Amino acid sequence: MDIATSPLAKPFPAMEPVAGVTLRVARAHYKTWDRCDLTYAELAEGTAVAGVFTRNVCCSSEVELGREQVKLGHARALVVNAGNSNAFTGYRGRDAVEQIMAQVAAHLGCQPAEVFVSSTGVIGVPLPKDKAEAGVAAALTAEPCSFEAAAETIGTTDTFAKGASATAMIGETKVTINGIIKGSGMIAPDMATMLGYIFTDAAVEPAFLQACLSAASEPTFNCITVDSDTSTSDTVLAFATGKAGNAPLAHGDDAGADAFAAALHDVCRQLAHLVVRDGEGASKFIAVTVEGAVSDESARKVGLAIANSPLVKTAIAGGDANWGRVVMAVGKAGEPADRDKLGIAFGGVWAAKDGLPLADYDETPVAEHLKGDEVDLTVDLGLGEGTATVWTCDLTHGYIAINADYRS
Amino acid sequence: MDIATSPLAKPFPAMEPVAGVTLRVARAHYKTWDRCDLTYAELAEGTAVAGVFTRNVCCSSEVELGREQVKLGHARALVVNAGNSNAFTGYRGRDAVEQIMAQVAAHLGCQPAEVFVSSTGVIGVPLPKDKAEAGVAAALTAEPCSFEAAAETIGTTDTFAKGASATAMIGETKVTINGIIKGSGMIAPDMATMLGYIFTDAAVEPAFLQACLSAASEPTFNCITVDSDTSTSDTVLAFATGKAGNAPLAHGDDAGADAFAAALHDVCRQLAHLVVRDGEGASKFIAVTVEGAVSDESARKVGLAIANSPLVKTAIAGGDANWGRVVMAVGKAGEPADRDKLGIAFGGVWAAKDGLPLADYDETPVAEHLKGDEVDLTVDLGLGEGTATVWTCDLTHGYIAINADYRS
C-alpha cells in the first residue's frame, strides 16, 4: 500500500553539522524496500549519553540493553535497524543485538556497551544476523551523509523525514542541538515505533544530560498520543560530543545550563509534534490544554483521556465541536472533576462554562476553526492550578486503511 | 445517515410476559425520528429494584438520582427517554427529571422516588419539559406493548432491538427473567450509553437483588468494550415484581437462590454480548481470554488493554493474526507480565509460547478462523491462576463513518 505524505507534514529544516557526529547509511535488506534501512552514527570519544525508554513491560532486547548502557554514561556509536523491531524474539533477538555491538566495537576499538542499537519494524521475527552483519559492514565504510538522509533511513511507515534543530549559548560558546525522529502511530509495533536521536556538540556530564532529557521528555514525548498504543521499542537517546569546547555542564546552576536545557526542550517538543503530524491517517493536529486541574499530572491524565478518546477524535475529524464527548472523556479519566464546574473552548471560543452550555454560544467561529488543520481544545476543570497540554491527531478512515487494510 | 443493521445482529428472542410488568411506548418527539422515543414500564406494588451505574464522574442527573433511589429498594415505574441524554445540563436537566417523576407518581399514587428515569442521546441539551410532559401523558394511557417494542424504543444509534430471557426454578416455582438493552458506542466497562433493564416475576429482597446484579455485572457489563469510551449515563436496573409467588429470596443460601443468580447472570451476559454485537461499525465479535494472570482482576485489565487497542482491533478487522500487536497491548496494560512467558493463540491455535513464535506455527487455520465473524483470542501470561474473558468488536471504517461523518 502506498501511503500518501501526511497533509500535516513539515519540510525538513536546514541543519548545521554537529562536531563529533558522523552519520552513514547502508542497506541491510531487512525488507524488500528499495532504500537504505540501516543508520550508523559514529560519535567522538568522550561523548555523553542519556536516554528515555518505553514503559511497555514487553520491551525489546534493544531497550533492555539500552537502559543498562545509558547508566554507563558514554557512547561511541549508534546503529538503527528499520524494518524489523526484533521485539518478542527472546535470546535469538538478543544475540543479534550483541553481535552488532561487538562488530562496531571491534571497528572503533571501544567497549560493546558504548554501541547503542535500536530496531523498528515487525515484531516477533529475530533480526537476521547475516543481514545485520553485512549491513553494518557496509555502513562502517559508507560515505558520510546528512541528518536528513539519516532521518529518512530510520523511518518505516513514516510519510516524511522529521528533524528539529536549536542552538544555545553556553558562556561564549554557541552549541547546536540536532534531533531526528521516526514514528507515526503512538506507536504501532508493526511498522511504527517512536525512535528519536538528539545530537549536540555541547559538553555535558552524563547525569546532567539525563536530567535535562528526562525533564524535557515529560511535557513533550510523554504528552503526545496518536492511538493510545505504546510500542515495545520506544527510545529517545541524546548524545553530547563535547566538541563545542564549552565548560562541561554538570549542574542546573552552571552558566548556560538553563539555555541548554531550554534548547533541548525545544528540540524535543518539535520532534514530538512532528510524530503527531505524521500520525497514521492524521488530517488535523490537535492541541488539548487542560487548566484548573488539581495538579499538573492530573491535567495531563485528563488531557490524555480526551486525546485518546475515539469519539472525540472522530468528532474533530468530522469538524464537529462535540463538547458532549469532551465531557464524557473528562469524566472517564479517573481524575478529580466536577461536572458543574467544567468549561470547554474550541479555538479560544467558550462553548460551555460552569457545567452548562453558554446561552450565547455562537458555533460559527468554532466551525470555522475546526475546518483548519490545527485545532485547539481547552478544558477548564475549575478546581485548581494544574495545567498541561497534550497533542494528538484526529481519527480518520486513513488510520483504519493503514492498520486494517494493510497486511504487514 | 442510514446505518445498516449490524452483520452480527441476533433476532429478538421469544419472550414470555413477566407478571407485574406492563410496558407502554409513546412519542415525545425529542428528535424528528418517525418512531416512538419514550418507554414506560409500570411495575406492581412491592417491586424490588437494584441498579448499577456509570462510574463516569460527569454523570447525568438521572444517574445521580437513580443511585439514591435504588437505596430505597422499591420501584413502581420506569421512564426511558431516547434522543436526549439530558447530561451536562445542570439544574435544568434535573428539573425535567423531577417533573417526570412527579407526573408518574401522581398517576400511580406512589412516591416520586419509586419512579426511575433514564435518558440517552445528545449531551448538553436540557430535556424539554413540555415534550417530556406530553410524552409521559401519552405513554400512561397507551396500549400495553411487547418487550421487543420497548427494546426498539429505548434504542438510539442501535441497529437492532436487543433482548434476552432466562428462567429459573425457585423451589416449585418457575420464575422468568427478561432483559432489554440499548447501546452501540461510547461503550467501555463501567457502563456506556448503555441502558439495560431486567424484569423478573421472582420475589427477591432488594438487598439480595442488588447483590446478584452487582455480581453478575462484573464479568458481563464490565467486561465489554466497543471503543474504550465510557458514557455519562450508563445504567442497568433490575426489577423483581414478586408475582411468581415464590418464597422471597433474601440470601445466597435460600432455596433457588443459586438458580436465580445464575439465570440473572445468563441474561446479563447475553445482553452484554448483544451490545458488542451492535458495536459501531462492528464486523467481528471478539472474545479475549486471558489466563495465567496474577489475579482475575489483573487478567481483566490485560484483557481490556488488548480489547481497547486500536491496533489489535484494526488488525482483526483486516483478518491479520497480528500477535505482535497483542504483545504490545499486554505490555502496556500496566499489569504484571513477562515477555518471555507469554503465549498467544487465535481460535485455539497457539502462535507463540514462552515468549517465542512457535517454529511449527501454521497460519492457515488461524487465517481461516479470522475470516469468520466470531474471533477467539487467548493470551497465557504464564504467571498465576488469574483468568478473565472480555468481549469487544473490531475497529472498521464503519466506526469512523458513524462517528466522524455523522453529526449528532
Side-chain angles (χ1 to χ4, degrees):
Chain A
M1 186 173 107
D2 248 351
I3 300 172
T5 300
S6 168
L8 307 176
K10 295 268 194 188
F12 200 85
M15 279 194 188
E16 298 290 318
V18 173
V21 178
T22 306
L23 301 167
R24 298 183 165 93
V25 297
R27 294 177 72 160
H29 300 278
Y30 294 126
K31 306 269 282 186
T32 54
W33 295 338
D34 184 22
R35 67 166 177 83
C36 290
D37 55 1
L38 190 145
T39 308
Y40 171 68
E42 190 174 319
L43 305 162
E45 284 189 49
T47 293
V49 64
V52 290
F53 299 92
T54 185
R55 291 173 192 157
N56 192 306
V57 298
C58 295
C59 66
S60 66
S61 293
E62 284 83 338
V63 167
E64 276 183 339
L65 287 162
R67 281 199 190 108
E68 294 305 310
Q69 292 172 256
V70 158
K71 292 178 189 164
L72 303 176
H74 289 281
R76 285 299 312 283
L78 166 72
V79 173
V80 184
N81 304 299
N84 185 324
S85 78
N86 198 37
F88 202 58
T89 54
Y91 66 92
R92 284 181 291 171
R94 190 162 174 126
D95 274 357
V97 180
E98 290 176 340
Q99 173 192 285
I100 293 172
M101 291 165 67
Q103 185 180 1
V104 175
H107 176 79
L108 294 178
C110 68
Q111 295 301 313
E114 294 178 285
V115 179
F116 287 76
V117 180
S118 302
S119 303
T120 174
V122 177
I123 283 185
V125 181
L127 197 70
K129 290 167 77 170
D130 52 343
K131 290 184 179 178
E133 186 177 9
V136 168
L140 291 175
T141 56
E143 287 298 306
C145 73
S146 65
F147 279 95
E148 184 167 8
E152 278 164 3
T153 305
I154 64 173
T156 52
T157 52
D158 303 68
T159 73
F160 64 97
K162 305 173 190 70
S165 187
T167 58
M169 294 303 295
I170 301 180
E172 302 292 299
T173 311
K174 182 178 129 184
V175 302
T176 298
I177 304 176
N178 285 356
I180 59 174
I181 198 162
K182 64 86 53 184
S184 56
M186 170 94 186
I187 301 289
D190 229 338
M191 287 307 294
T193 280
M194 191 183 80
L195 298 179
Y197 306 101
I198 297 165
F199 303 90
T200 178
D201 52 2
V204 190
E205 294 294 330
F208 186 63
L209 185 62
Q210 183 66 53
C212 289
L213 180 63
S214 296
S217 295
E218 281 304 318
T220 59
F221 302 120
N222 286 339
C223 281
I224 61 172
T225 178
V226 167
D227 53 14
S228 80
D229 278 338
T230 305
S231 161
T232 51
S233 305
D234 291 341
T235 297
V236 176
L237 294 171
F239 303 102
T241 66
K243 290 294 176 191
N246 58 288
L249 298 177
H251 299 287
D253 50 4
D254 289 344
D258 285 350
F260 175 78
L264 182 67
H265 184 141
D266 182 39
V267 168
C268 290
R269 186 185 48 76
Q270 291 184 59
L271 293 175
H273 286 193
L274 288 169
V275 171
V276 172
R277 286 185 169 276
D278 208 4
E280 291 172 337
S283 76
K284 293 174 197 295
F285 179 86
I286 306 168
V288 179
T289 299
V290 177
E291 307 170 345
V294 295
S295 69
D296 288 353
E297 182 53 20
S298 180
R300 190 179 79 96
K301 287 182 179 167
V302 172
L304 286 171
I306 297 167
N308 279 328
S309 161
L311 289 170
V312 170
K313 292 157 76 83
T314 48
I316 291 175
D320 180 4
N322 195 319
W323 47 267
R325 295 182 182 180
V326 177
V327 174
M328 172 280 300
V330 170
K332 74 163 186 170
E335 291 297 311
D338 180 340
R339 184 191 67 196
D340 297 332
K341 291 183 177 170
L342 220 53
I344 298 171
F346 289 89
V349 178
W350 292 92
K353 275 196 174 174
D354 301 322
L356 282 176
L358 291 184
D360 60 352
Y361 167 53
D362 177 7
E363 207 177 304
T364 317
V366 170
E368 203 53 43
H369 177 70
L370 285 171
K371 278 184 196 156
D373 62 12
E374 301 201 359
V375 171
D376 286 317
L377 168 59
T378 303
V379 172
D380 183 356
L381 298 182
L383 297 178
E385 301 295 314
T387 182
T389 298
V390 305
W391 296 276
T392 190
C393 54
D394 53 345
L395 175 56
T396 70
H397 285 288
Y399 183 85
I400 307 292
I402 292 167
N403 288 300
D405 306 347
Y406 168 58
R407 176 74 193 236
S408 55
Chain B
M1 185 174 108
D2 249 350
I3 301 171
T5 299
S6 168
L8 307 176
K10 294 268 195 189
F12 200 85
M15 278 194 188
E16 298 290 316
V18 174
V21 178
T22 307
L23 301 168
R24 298 184 164 93
V25 297
R27 294 178 70 157
H29 301 278
Y30 293 127
K31 305 268 282 187
T32 54
W33 293 339
D34 184 23
R35 66 166 178 84
C36 290
D37 55 1
L38 190 145
T39 307
Y40 172 68
E42 191 175 317
L43 305 161
E45 284 189 50
T47 293
V49 64
V52 289
F53 299 93
T54 184
R55 289 172 195 156
N56 190 304
V57 300
C58 295
C59 67
S60 66
S61 293
E62 284 83 339
V63 168
E64 277 183 337
L65 287 161
R67 279 198 192 109
E68 295 304 311
Q69 292 172 256
V70 159
K71 291 179 188 163
L72 304 176
H74 289 282
R76 285 300 311 284
L78 165 71
V79 173
V80 183
N81 304 297
N84 184 323
S85 79
N86 197 37
F88 204 57
T89 54
Y91 65 91
R92 284 180 292 172
R94 191 163 174 123
D95 275 357
V97 181
E98 290 177 338
Q99 173 192 285
I100 293 172
M101 292 164 68
Q103 185 180 359
V104 175
H107 176 79
L108 294 177
C110 69
Q111 295 300 314
E114 293 177 286
V115 179
F116 287 75
V117 181
S118 301
S119 304
T120 175
V122 177
I123 287 181
V125 181
L127 196 70
K129 290 167 77 170
D130 52 343
K131 290 184 179 177
E133 186 177 10
V136 169
L140 292 175
T141 57
E143 287 298 307
C145 73
S146 66
F147 279 96
E148 183 167 8
E152 278 165 2
T153 305
I154 65 173
T156 53
T157 52
D158 303 66
T159 74
F160 64 97
K162 305 175 191 69
S165 187
T167 59
M169 293 304 294
I170 302 181
E172 301 293 299
T173 311
K174 182 178 129 182
V175 302
T176 299
I177 304 175
N178 285 355
I180 59 174
I181 199 160
K182 64 86 53 184
S184 57
M186 212 180 270
I187 300 291
D190 303 342
M191 315 279 134
T193 301
M194 188 182 82
L195 300 178
Y197 306 101
I198 296 165
F199 304 90
T200 179
D201 52 3
V204 190
E205 294 294 330
F208 185 63
L209 185 63
Q210 182 67 53
C212 290
L213 180 63
S214 296
S217 294
E218 281 306 316
T220 59
F221 302 121
N222 286 339
C223 280
I224 62 171
T225 179
V226 167
D227 52 14
S228 81
D229 278 339
T230 304
S231 158
T232 51
S233 306
D234 291 341
T235 298
V236 175
L237 295 170
F239 302 102
T241 67
K243 290 295 176 190
N246 59 288
L249 298 176
H251 300 288
D253 49 5
D254 288 345
D258 285 350
F260 175 79
L264 182 68
H265 184 143
D266 182 38
V267 169
C268 290
R269 185 186 48 74
Q270 290 185 57
L271 293 175
H273 286 193
L274 288 169
V275 170
V276 171
R277 287 184 169 277
D278 207 5
E280 290 172 338
S283 77
K284 292 175 197 296
F285 179 87
I286 306 167
V288 179
T289 299
V290 177
E291 307 170 344
V294 294
S295 68
D296 289 353
E297 182 54 20
S298 181
R300 190 179 79 96
K301 287 182 179 166
V302 172
L304 286 170
I306 297 167
N308 279 327
S309 161
L311 290 170
V312 171
K313 291 157 77 84
T314 47
I316 292 176
D320 180 3
N322 195 316
W323 47 268
R325 295 185 181 179
V326 177
V327 174
M328 171 281 300
V330 170
K332 75 164 186 169
E335 291 296 311
D338 180 340
R339 184 191 68 195
D340 297 332
K341 292 184 176 169
L342 219 53
I344 298 171
F346 290 89
V349 179
W350 292 94
K353 275 194 175 176
D354 300 323
L356 282 177
L358 292 184
D360 60 352
Y361 168 54
D362 176 6
E363 206 177 305
T364 316
V366 170
E368 202 54 43
H369 176 69
L370 285 170
K371 279 185 193 154
D373 62 11
E374 301 201 1
V375 172
D376 286 317
L377 168 59
T378 303
V379 173
D380 183 357
L381 299 182
L383 297 178
E385 299 297 313
T387 181
T389 298
V390 305
W391 298 276
T392 190
C393 53
D394 53 344
L395 175 57
T396 69
H397 285 288
Y399 184 87
I400 307 293
I402 291 166
N403 288 301
D405 307 346
Y406 168 58
R407 177 74 193 237
S408 53

